[in-house]
Amino acid sequence: MNEQDARAAVLAAIGEVAPDVETEGLDGAARLRQDLELDSLDFLRLLEVVAESTGVNTPEDDYAGLTTVQSLVDYVAAYG
Amino acid sequence: MGEFRMPSLGADMERGKVIEWLVKPGDYVHRGDILAAVDTEKTVMEVESFEEGVVAEYLVDLGVTVPVGTPIARITGTPADVVAAGPPAAGAPSRPTPPPAPAPTAPPTPAAERVAPVPAPKPAEAPEPSAPLTPPIRHLAHQFGVDVDRLHGTGKHGAITRADVEAAAAQRAAPSAVPGHGPEGRVRSSPRARRLAAELGVDLASVSGTGPGGAVTEADLRREAAARGPAPEVGAASVGVESVQAEAVAAAPATRAPVESRPGGTATSEAAERVAGLRRAIGSLMARSKREIPHYYLSTTIDLSSAVAWMQQANADRPISSRLVPAALLLAASARAAKDVPGLNGFFVDGVFQQSTAVHLGVAVALRGGGLVAPAIHDADTLTSDELMARLRDLVARARGGRLQRAEMADPTITVTNLGELGAEAVFGVIYPPQVALVGFGRVVERPWAQDGMLGVRPVVTATLSADHRASDGLRGGRFLARVDELLQKPEDL
């Protein structure tokens, strides 16, 4: 999947999990936990929504590397 | 038969307002049926009927704050009472809605719930005057100005159903229908789907439903939203009734760096007001707790290596949707320990501690935008960690989406607060009266851990207990934390 599609999918998922976050123009460096205030349940839901739209299933071992918006976009682009 | 009053949805609730009616005059309700969504200062909750009967009329307007105990709807004992009393719309001065059909009889509905003609049943060619008809349906038909003799019943034995009447009313009203109003032309959808539509900025009328009776389902909405790309900001839905529910989430903290401040002054100030109200409610309850409850505090560090290893193993084979998080195990262990160790699970009322046999585990849920609520997972001690996980996800989603039920807010017997991954290492909480204990878990961290003369690095969590000295003492409390520890060493049994 190209990065643009991956980014669109990730932003749509963030918009669903955290409706108060303005996803348009969201900085790729924004940290999912600290900046977007996603807790572990939100994070799980985020991965679930991304999996639904892109088919990318994230094993738990890979959670640790997914800290920023950009890291998730790259992950989806790589595996989607 | 009687008045349905604004219920008390927690020890700290003094007033509330109805923000959505989920029944209409003429509806037959059973005990336990959800009547309305009520906004307390803390959250939005669904309240259920305490009796069986027919909703005769609303007694308060939407959005008007009234004290606990104020009659908000009149419920009559039998359908016959309603019919005998005539249409409640006529001449009832307190009734907030305009007169009957084709004008809307339901309260103003969210903008997202646009009017669209519902596929109507075939035109009535042969009148069936003998079609079975229940009094509430006749009453509804009367309200809508629908001639039941001309309807073709789609129910059992040709009975005319509510849907038949509504469809006929929709057919009549469609040409002149006012968007955003009334049951006529109402798109079949659940309240949950309507909220989702508002969240996603999807016009219900533009979605073709695949659910029962053409109802628009959540899946339909998600498909529609996905097809249109990223959802517009939630502010788009922040008009009318629905905005109240969105306020808690709309209140983005100003400190959230990468997020620009949102447009829409009204939504922002309402959100700020809501957060302020929530803060006041929490403040008053916590002040009462500190004034009345002689707290004592205990803390212990628990080795989570077994629990974490077991969880990772379990998660490896699962789709994301059924994976566990450590919180589920911590809650499961707390619920079982509360059952096993007396003196901590129950209420202190009228100078006496009453142990509860059931464990209704309150879970402190932080709301996006500030504040927290602590609704209960009922009978948590009887649930497996998987079941608890599912309930936790559901509860958190509803708490943040603003849809908790009365019982969930009113009756936790002990509460757990879990700071999660970004929190501090330990939390010494304030007990929610009339409960007598609050269990706290900090962040799971890796620490050097000595065991059997060996040193290793393990994931650990600091578990704390704040308890009421009128109901227990430190020895009991210590047993409780030790029991939590013990249970977490055998996660497969949780």
Side-chain angles (χ1 to χ4, degrees):
Chain A
M1 182 181 288
N2 67 39
E3 185 181 333
Q4 200 179 346
D5 291 348
R7 184 173 171 83
V10 167
L11 294 186
I14 290 173
E16 180 165 340
V17 173
D20 52 317
V21 172
E22 178 62 72
T23 54
E24 201 180 318
L26 184 61
D27 186 354
R31 295 168 299 174
L32 299 172
R33 313 284 174 117
Q34 294 89 337
D35 296 328
L36 305 190
E37 298 185 342
L38 303 187
D39 64 18
S40 59
L41 292 178
D42 296 329
F43 182 72
L44 204 61
R45 177 80 188 128
L46 177 67
L47 295 183
E48 194 181 346
V49 176
V50 167
E52 279 167 14
S53 63
T54 66
V56 174
N57 198 341
T58 316
E60 197 171 42
D61 289 347
D62 293 347
Y63 286 6
L66 303 175
T67 54
T68 62
V69 172
Q70 191 58 45
S71 62
L72 182 56
V73 170
D74 293 343
Y75 189 90
V76 173
Y79 293 94
Chain B
M1 174 161 187
E3 284 161 337
F4 181 75
R5 293 166 187 275
M6 175 62 73
S8 174
L9 305 167
D12 53 333
M13 176 171 164
E14 291 171 0
R15 59 190 79 84
K17 61 183 170 189
V18 176
I19 58 162
E20 185 181 357
W21 290 106
L22 301 170
V23 292
K24 296 188 286 292
D27 281 354
Y28 199 92
V29 294
H30 295 90
R31 260 181 86 94
D33 285 355
I34 305 293
L35 296 183
V38 167
D39 187 3
T40 71
E41 285 186 320
K42 299 185 82 169
T43 185
V44 176
M45 270 176 279
E46 294 178 338
V47 296
E48 78 271 22
S49 179
F50 297 113
E51 57 188 319
E52 187 169 351
V54 174
V55 179
E57 61 177 327
Y58 307 139
L59 298 174
V60 293
D61 285 327
L62 284 180
V64 175
T65 302
V66 296
V68 165
T70 305
I72 59 174
R74 194 161 62 81
I75 296 181
T76 55
T78 66
D81 293 346
V82 180
V83 175
S94 60
R95 190 181 161 78
T97 49
T105 50
T109 45
E113 193 185 315
R114 294 279 144 84
V115 167
V118 169
K122 326 95 205 142
E125 284 146 23
E128 295 179 45
S130 59
L133 189 65
T134 62
I137 302 297
R138 179 179 294 117
H139 175 67
L140 184 72
H142 179 72
Q143 277 190 313
F144 284 18
V146 169
D147 181 359
V148 290
D149 288 345
R150 301 188 62 82
L151 281 184
H152 177 79
T154 60
K156 209 172 175 181
H157 306 308
I160 291 167
T161 65
R162 171 172 295 283
D164 296 334
V165 174
E166 290 188 352
Q171 202 178 26
R172 283 166 36 115
S176 60
V178 184
H181 281 80
E184 79 282 0
R186 185 178 196 135
V187 178
R188 287 182 65 93
S189 61
S190 66
R192 191 181 159 104
R194 290 199 290 279
R195 277 194 301 281
L196 183 65
E199 279 168 26
L200 298 174
V202 170
D203 182 352
L204 272 175
S206 69
V207 182
S208 54
T210 60
V216 175
T217 66
E218 285 186 65
D220 296 332
L221 289 168
R222 296 201 190 282
R223 221 173 6 254
E224 173 75 13
R228 297 172 355 153
E233 59 162 331
V234 77
S238 293
V239 286
V241 180
E242 212 70 2
S243 69
V244 204
Q245 296 160 16
E247 280 166 17
V249 281
T255 51
R256 186 170 291 170
V259 183
E260 290 177 20
S261 66
R262 50 188 311 106
T266 318
T268 311
S269 66
E270 277 180 16
E273 199 178 296
R274 180 181 186 80
V275 170
L278 180 54
R279 183 56 52 202
R280 271 198 304 278
I282 294 170
S284 109
L285 187 66
M286 294 296 105
R288 180 182 143 201
S289 172
K290 282 285 190 173
R291 202 166 51 236
E292 295 177 1
I293 301 178
H295 286 64
Y296 69 87
Y297 305 93
L298 301 173
S299 162
T300 196
T301 305
I302 297 176
D303 172 12
L304 283 186
S305 49
S306 304
V308 169
W310 177 84
M311 190 189 80
Q312 283 172 347
Q313 178 93 40
N315 283 349
D317 304 330
R318 298 171 178 220
I320 296 170
S321 58
S322 55
R323 284 183 200 161
L324 296 167
V325 296
L329 299 177
L330 300 176
L331 292 180
S334 302
R336 283 166 174 71
K339 179 77 173 179
D340 295 346
V341 180
L344 301 164
N345 181 60
F347 299 132
F348 192 90
V349 184
D350 298 332
V352 194
F353 171 63
Q354 294 159 350
Q355 175 85 25
S356 166
T357 49
V359 178
H360 301 319
L361 195 68
V363 182
V365 177
L367 300 178
R368 298 186 64 82
L372 80 165
V373 291
I377 294 177
H378 290 146
D379 300 308
D381 58 312
T382 65
L383 304 175
T384 65
S385 48
D386 278 324
E387 288 166 334
L388 258 172
M389 180 69 198
R391 298 281 289 276
L392 179 65
R393 290 189 68 165
D394 171 60
L395 197 69
V396 170
R398 284 189 296 113
R400 294 195 175 142
R403 278 311 164 93
L404 295 168
Q405 289 167 9
R406 187 199 60 81
E408 290 173 329
M409 283 305 283
D411 68 0
T413 55
I414 182 171
T415 294
V416 175
T417 181
N418 176 25
L419 295 184
E421 289 154 81
L422 290 174
E425 283 184 36
V427 51
F428 296 89
V430 182
I431 299 167
Y432 281 78
Q435 297 166 47
V436 297
L438 186 133
V439 187
F441 292 102
R443 181 160 48 107
V444 178
V445 289
E446 288 198 325
R447 286 288 177 268
W449 187 265
Q451 189 158 336
D452 303 329
M454 299 284 286
L455 196 59
V457 174
R458 298 193 178 190
V460 301
V461 71
T462 302
T464 60
L465 175 73
S466 307
D468 186 338
H469 241 316
R470 298 170 303 180
S472 68
D473 52 35
L475 189 65
R476 237 342 127 59
R479 272 185 57 203
F480 172 83
L481 287 180
R483 182 71 184 133
V484 171
D485 187 341
E486 201 170 49
L487 289 160
L488 285 169
Q489 302 316 314
K490 291 193 171 165
E492 63 278 10
D493 295 343
L494 289 174

